[in-house]
Amino acid sequence: MKLKAYNILLLLVTTTLFAQNSVKGKVTNKEGKGLEFVEIYNKATYEFFSTDENGIFEIKNLTKGNNVIVFFQANYKIKEITIEAGVKELKVVLDDLETNLSEVVLIKQNEKLFAINKLKDIEETAIYAGKKTEVISLDKITANKATNNSRQVFAQVVGLTINESNDGGLQLSLGGRGLDPNRTANFNTRQNDYDISADVLGYPESYYATPTEALESIQIVRGAASLQYGTQFGGMINFKIKKPVEKPIELVTRTTLGSYNLFTNFTSLSGTKGKFSYYTYYNYKQGDGFRPNSKFDSKSFFVNLNYQFTKNTSLHLDYTHFNYLAQQAGGLTDFMFAQNPEQSNRSRNWFKVDWNLFALRFKHHFEHNADFSLQLFGLDASRKALGYRSNRVSNPDTEGTVRDLILGDFVNWGAEARYLKKYKFFGNDNAFLIGTKYYQAKNSGVQGPGSSGSDANFGLATAEFPNYRTQSDYAYPNLNFSVFGENIFKITPKFSITPGFRYENIKTQANGFYRKINTDLAGNILLDETVFEENIKERDFFLFGLGLSYKMNNGLEIYANASQNYRSVTFNDIRTANPSAAIDENLTDENGYTSDIGVRGKLLDNVSFDASVYALYYNDKIGEYLTQVPSSAALVRYRDNVGTALTYGFESLIDWNISKTFFRENDHFIWSVFSNLALTNSEYLESDIKNIKGNKVEFVPNYNLKLGTGVGYKNFLTSLQFTYVSSQFTNAENNPIDVNDNTYGIFGEIPAYNVLDFSSSYKWKNFKLEAGVNNVLNNWYFTRRATGYPGPGIIPSEPRVFYATLELVF
């Protein structure tokens, strides 16, 4: 009897602990038809639900007091309903979304949707619980989208540093937290969830940037993304291209004119017919740049085809082609920059990119509440660099002399499979993710003499210059296999723990030769040696991580995560000779940890914020310092494993909706302000190299501040943004600026700078006019000291530029 009584007591306690207050109901349109797949979000518990094929739903885990429930579906107005626990039945009617809404009304509608859709704990077959995530909604941004103005597009992402260029936004260079921004090489860079960089392992640089005009959103996951997306310290950036519209056809064309003969056209075609949908665009850009020898011309084409076999099964095909040719004005010395930032003494430097990306994705939702995705992706691309790259930047470039030529071909493919299962454990919703990735690359690199002319001739000129000092020819067959997994354990409906792992097997190779030719001052050959190499480096290892999340009823969430990171050495970097830089041939892989602790959410439904502290710890940190190498009497920036480093800081983003605070009843007015602040410090904790220990880590400004405001009334929108970035070092020795340096330009700090940007837009029927001014105050500054292309030397940023865009929608 005692045992039976005990069992009854245990049952009562368990039932009390895990009892679920729930409400059932139905969602219909105005005609009374049940709406399927309506998404339902409980703001109090952060939980998502959806209706079945008849519009029936059940919302579980209602909290005591008020629960704000949001219902949303495409082409319907978002509806918010406040209910109390104890309500058992609910009928919801969604109103049709009106056509020809004003820009302000559309923004308010999108803001509600964006606040809900901002990276959930689970997105299809990905887990983001406990991670520091950020999402940029492009519909909310009034900016210079035609030139991919990163300073404006990424304004509300904390702690990013940007290498700015004047080539119409053809390349994207993002860094942050002490990571070199050059070509975003420290992030796993993706488009529609698949890799787009040259070689994820051997050469993780992004020569292709998705046009901002084609984007729906940009997702950023910081260092803890190493478990699901690869080993990079920076994390993952994913560019999500717009989805097809639901009507049969829609044509959008945008034409932009700007300073220095800028002309761009972006034209897209989109639609849905039955189970088939599509989105495609063509983007053309040309301009002269603000410096001589800076013209560029680019063409980009994209097509996305989708077929929905059933409501649970779909197939998606992407193809991207990107081609551009740019003349590069070269770098400047500090003295030249102070004298005239608009000058150029390089008229024979050229850069060409040809990019072809392929992706096929299969998605299936199982009835037992599980999702599966399989993605096949590939790249067939090349980049060609030609020019005079003397490490003495002030030397003139004389026609008739040899130019340095570097050719790179990238042929790689991969497959990534993911399976995510949602399941119940002690009455709470949990989720398990398991995935695997196979990646194979067969890339090649050639370096040798380029032609003596001034045109963009990318053929080797070995017959004209048989004794050119630097020649090499390498193949880089890389292979990577990985397995990863994460599990969300909901300890309570509010508190979750998400452990994860990643197993990596990496094999990198460099097979080929390089030729060493040394001459005396008279040009007589002292050494002519060809060295053949077959370098193979294979390693395997595990990475582990842990995420914590506690979601409070007041709309706030406390999150924390820690994860191991790893970055492999690139053989391509080791074997590419550069007169302004040198690399230690014994360079080893980096490894370390990243961690975040923060709080995010909304206050009074008017202020959204995310504030956190972070730390990045590096073993064998790869850095640069000034030295002489035996093969050259000149000073160079030497790349080596310089020691153990720590970067840490505080990051905060605050966005205040003033119109919702003071003008809630006015549906046609919007006004918001934001503050984006990163306070960062860094130090080399240990180093075997003289004068490094105790120094600051490169590319770490102590202060990175962006302030902005946006005001809109009906169809008129404006935005104003101020950017301030304090000074940062470019090498581990922390060399200061030498304003009298008229030789190199590759050493020293990047001085502090500030920039003001203004943008506006007005919509009338199917027409929209956008116009603005970037760098309103016409400040001269720079964000990069290049050791190779497009330098060497200081690369000045754009002065004041104007732009105007006309958009037509049919």
Side-chain angles (χ1 to χ4, degrees):
M1 271 311 276
K2 290 184 178 180
L3 182 61
K4 186 175 180 181
Y6 174 79
N7 288 339
I8 292 172
L9 180 62
L10 179 63
L11 177 62
L12 289 173
V13 171
T14 304
T15 304
T16 302
L17 286 174
F18 297 102
Q20 295 180 344
N21 293 317
S22 64
V23 59
K24 295 181 179 180
K26 184 175 183 179
V27 180
T28 68
N29 59 16
K30 289 190 296 184
E31 288 73 37
K33 180 184 177 183
L35 298 176
E36 62 177 346
F37 305 132
V38 175
E39 290 200 66
I40 304 168
Y41 177 60
N42 187 346
K43 285 187 174 182
T45 64
Y46 299 86
E47 290 185 296
F48 285 85
F49 308 91
S50 63
T51 61
D52 63 14
E53 60 272 15
N54 299 312
I56 305 298
F57 66 85
E58 181 180 8
I59 304 171
K60 301 177 181 179
N61 301 326
L62 295 176
T63 63
K64 293 181 180 180
N66 292 334
N67 292 257
V68 179
I69 312 298
V70 186
F71 299 82
F72 57 101
Q73 191 182 59
N75 299 320
Y76 290 91
K77 287 184 179 179
I78 294 174
K79 176 160 284 188
E80 291 189 4
I81 298 176
T82 302
I83 62 174
E84 292 184 359
V87 176
K88 296 300 180 183
E89 192 171 347
L90 196 63
K91 185 176 181 181
V92 180
V93 179
L94 296 187
D95 296 323
D96 294 334
L97 190 64
E98 301 170 23
T99 57
N100 297 320
L101 293 172
S102 75
E103 287 287 90
V104 167
V105 173
L106 281 173
I107 285 176
K108 288 185 175 182
Q109 175 85 2
N110 289 333
E111 278 184 343
K112 291 180 182 178
L113 190 60
F114 176 68
I116 297 165
N117 278 334
K118 198 168 185 176
L119 284 180
K120 310 169 191 172
D121 286 353
I122 300 171
E123 295 269 353
E124 294 185 346
T125 54
I127 287 178
Y128 299 110
K131 297 177 175 63
K132 184 173 178 64
T133 63
E134 293 152 303
V135 182
I136 302 167
S137 176
L138 275 302
D139 288 337
K140 293 177 60 178
I141 295 176
T142 304
N144 186 353
K145 298 177 183 178
T147 61
N148 295 356
N149 190 296
S150 302
R151 195 171 58 242
Q152 291 179 290
V153 172
F154 291 89
Q156 295 199 38
V157 179
V158 292
L160 288 185
T161 50
I162 301 169
N163 277 352
E164 299 178 13
S165 61
N166 64 316
D167 57 1
L170 300 181
Q171 291 189 28
L172 181 70
S173 292
L174 297 177
R177 297 181 170 183
L179 302 171
D180 189 348
N182 187 37
R183 296 197 182 99
T184 322
N186 285 288
F187 285 87
N188 178 258
T189 312
R190 298 188 171 211
Q191 173 182 280
N192 285 354
D193 303 315
Y194 51 85
D195 293 301
I196 62 174
S197 57
D199 180 341
V200 177
L201 292 173
Y203 197 61
E205 301 195 3
S206 300
Y207 288 96
Y208 157 70
T210 311
T212 304
E213 291 168 301
L215 292 175
E216 176 184 87
S217 64
I218 304 173
Q219 302 170 343
I220 300 100
V221 185
R222 295 305 175 107
S226 61
L227 299 179
Q228 285 187 68
Y229 296 103
T231 61
Q232 297 289 6
F233 276 84
M236 185 274 292
I237 296 179
N238 186 25
F239 297 92
K240 302 287 284 187
I241 293 177
K242 292 178 180 177
K243 296 182 179 68
V245 297
E246 295 195 356
K247 55 187 179 181
I249 187 170
E250 180 182 82
L251 175 69
V252 178
T253 181
R254 294 168 52 88
T255 301
T256 300
L257 300 176
S259 302
Y260 305 105
N261 295 321
L262 174 71
F263 171 81
T264 79
N265 177 264
F266 176 88
T267 300
S268 67
L269 199 63
S270 176
T272 300
K273 185 69 173 177
K275 296 182 177 182
F276 174 74
S277 62
Y278 64 94
Y279 179 83
T280 182
Y281 69 75
Y282 179 79
N283 187 209
Y284 176 75
K285 295 181 182 182
Q286 70 172 33
D288 291 339
F290 72 92
R291 299 170 64 200
N293 312 313
S294 295
K295 59 186 178 182
F296 59 87
D297 181 284
S298 82
K299 305 170 187 66
S300 180
F301 170 75
F302 171 82
V303 61
N304 162 245
L305 305 175
N306 311 281
Y307 192 78
Q308 194 78 34
F309 294 98
T310 68
K311 66 178 183 179
N312 292 328
T313 307
S314 59
L315 189 66
H316 312 265
L317 173 68
D318 283 7
Y319 169 67
T320 305
H321 173 72
F322 176 59
N323 177 280
Y324 83 84
L325 176 66
Q327 190 174 16
Q328 298 185 322
L332 304 177
T333 65
D334 289 77
F335 180 83
M336 294 168 69
F337 178 81
Q339 182 186 54
N340 177 16
E342 294 180 284
Q343 65 180 298
S344 165
N345 64 349
R346 298 286 182 266
S347 60
R348 303 190 303 147
N349 289 14
W350 297 88
F351 197 82
K352 181 177 175 62
V353 165
D354 190 85
W355 225 247
N356 292 282
L357 284 161
F358 310 86
L360 180 67
R361 190 179 195 193
F362 173 78
K363 297 193 292 186
H364 179 72
H365 175 73
F366 294 96
E367 295 298 339
H368 59 270
N369 212 12
D371 289 275
F372 172 77
S373 66
L374 173 63
Q375 187 146 262
L376 307 176
F377 56 93
L379 173 69
D380 183 1
S382 68
R383 68 102 168 87
K384 302 173 182 178
L386 173 69
Y388 178 66
R389 295 192 302 153
S390 169
N391 59 355
R392 296 181 176 272
V393 173
S394 58
N395 285 357
D397 180 8
T398 306
E399 188 166 354
T401 59
V402 67
R403 291 180 288 178
D404 193 32
L405 175 66
I406 300 176
L407 307 175
D409 289 307
F410 309 100
V411 180
N412 55 60
W413 70 275
E416 186 173 79
R418 291 167 171 256
Y419 176 80
L420 187 143
K421 167 67 177 173
K422 298 176 184 177
Y423 64 95
K424 292 281 187 182
F425 187 70
F426 281 103
N428 292 318
D429 294 319
N430 293 260
F432 169 69
L433 167 69
I434 188 71
T436 183
K437 181 179 179 180
Y438 177 87
Y439 179 81
Q440 179 176 303
K442 191 174 182 181
N443 304 324
S444 62
V446 175
Q447 185 172 7
S451 68
S452 59
S454 59
D455 61 343
N457 178 358
F458 294 101
L460 281 167
T462 49
E464 186 178 5
F465 302 101
N467 297 324
Y468 184 62
R469 68 184 185 279
T470 304
Q471 298 180 42
S472 64
D473 190 339
Y474 276 85
Y476 304 101
N478 296 327
L479 189 65
N480 176 220
F481 173 74
S482 60
V483 179
F484 54 90
E486 294 194 23
N487 197 108
I488 300 178
F489 292 104
K490 283 271 185 90
I491 308 303
T492 71
K494 298 177 183 179
F495 178 59
S496 66
I497 299 176
T498 307
F501 77 94
R502 186 179 185 92
Y503 166 75
E504 288 276 354
N505 181 274
I506 299 174
K507 184 179 181 181
T508 51
Q509 300 181 64
N511 305 325
F513 71 87
Y514 66 95
R515 186 180 177 192
K516 294 168 60 177
I517 300 176
N518 294 340
T519 62
D520 59 20
L521 295 176
N524 300 309
I525 296 176
L526 302 177
L527 173 69
D528 186 349
E529 179 184 17
T530 300
V531 180
F532 290 88
E533 290 186 307
E534 187 172 348
N535 292 328
I536 300 176
K537 187 173 184 180
E538 188 167 6
R539 56 274 202 208
D540 63 332
F541 52 87
F542 279 93
L543 300 176
F544 296 97
L546 182 69
L548 306 175
S549 172
Y550 182 75
K551 297 175 179 178
M552 294 174 277
N553 289 340
N554 56 5
L556 302 181
E557 178 189 6
I558 299 172
Y559 64 91
N561 61 75
S563 178
Q564 291 177 282
N565 295 93
Y566 181 90
R567 188 174 191 270
S568 62
V569 168
T570 66
F571 280 114
N572 200 9
D573 281 343
I574 293 174
R575 275 290 157 244
T576 301
N578 186 334
S580 296
I583 300 178
D584 188 333
E585 293 194 10
N586 297 315
L587 200 70
T588 62
D589 302 334
E590 288 180 303
N591 63 85
Y593 305 86
T594 63
S595 61
D596 298 277
I597 301 175
V599 58
R600 58 192 171 198
K602 275 199 168 187
L603 298 175
L604 303 176
D605 205 32
N606 301 326
V607 179
S608 59
F609 72 97
D610 188 341
S612 64
V613 293
Y614 76 90
L616 267 70
Y617 179 84
Y618 309 81
N619 287 313
D620 297 319
K621 172 78 169 67
I622 295 175
E624 296 180 345
Y625 54 94
L626 180 64
T627 190
Q628 286 184 329
V629 292
S631 60
S632 173
L635 292 171
V636 298
R637 277 202 354 213
Y638 194 70
R639 189 170 176 81
D640 194 2
N641 296 105
V642 296
T644 301
L646 176 67
T647 301
Y648 56 95
F650 168 78
E651 298 174 337
S652 72
L653 174 66
I654 302 173
D655 193 316
W656 179 24
N657 191 324
I658 298 177
S659 56
K660 187 179 284 189
T661 305
F662 299 109
F663 310 98
R664 185 177 289 271
E665 302 303 319
N666 192 335
D667 290 335
H668 298 287
F669 176 69
I670 190 169
W671 181 17
S672 63
V673 296
F674 76 87
S675 167
N676 176 349
L677 173 65
L679 305 175
T680 312
N681 204 354
S682 62
E683 183 181 358
Y684 277 103
L685 303 177
E686 297 291 339
S687 179
D688 294 329
I689 301 165
K690 187 179 179 181
N691 300 326
I692 300 294
K693 184 178 178 179
N695 285 357
K696 302 259 185 206
V697 176
E698 309 93 304
F699 311 112
V700 181
N702 290 126
Y703 307 99
N704 190 336
L705 173 67
K706 296 178 181 66
L707 301 172
T709 183
V711 180
Y713 180 71
K714 292 187 177 180
N715 286 313
F716 181 62
L717 304 173
T718 63
S719 71
L720 188 68
Q721 177 185 313
F722 174 77
T723 301
Y724 171 79
V725 180
S726 64
S727 62
Q728 55 189 291
F729 294 106
T730 58
N731 60 3
E733 279 189 313
N734 293 180
N735 294 110
I737 295 172
D738 182 0
V739 294
N740 297 314
D741 171 24
N742 197 24
T743 303
Y744 298 110
I746 61 174
F747 316 122
E749 289 178 272
I750 295 173
Y753 64 90
N754 63 83
V755 192
L756 187 68
D757 297 303
F758 171 78
S759 295
S760 63
S761 72
Y762 180 77
K763 182 181 178 182
W764 180 72
K765 295 184 178 180
N766 294 340
F767 299 84
K768 182 190 282 189
L769 178 65
E770 301 175 5
V773 186
N774 291 125
N775 196 355
V776 174
L777 303 178
N778 201 30
N779 290 338
W780 285 109
Y781 66 101
F782 63 91
T783 61
R784 184 181 180 191
R785 292 181 183 268
T787 55
Y789 295 107
I794 291 170
I795 309 299
S797 297
E798 274 189 333
R800 182 191 296 125
V801 293
F802 302 85
Y803 73 92
T805 301
L806 177 64
E807 176 184 289
L808 290 82
V809 181
F810 302 99

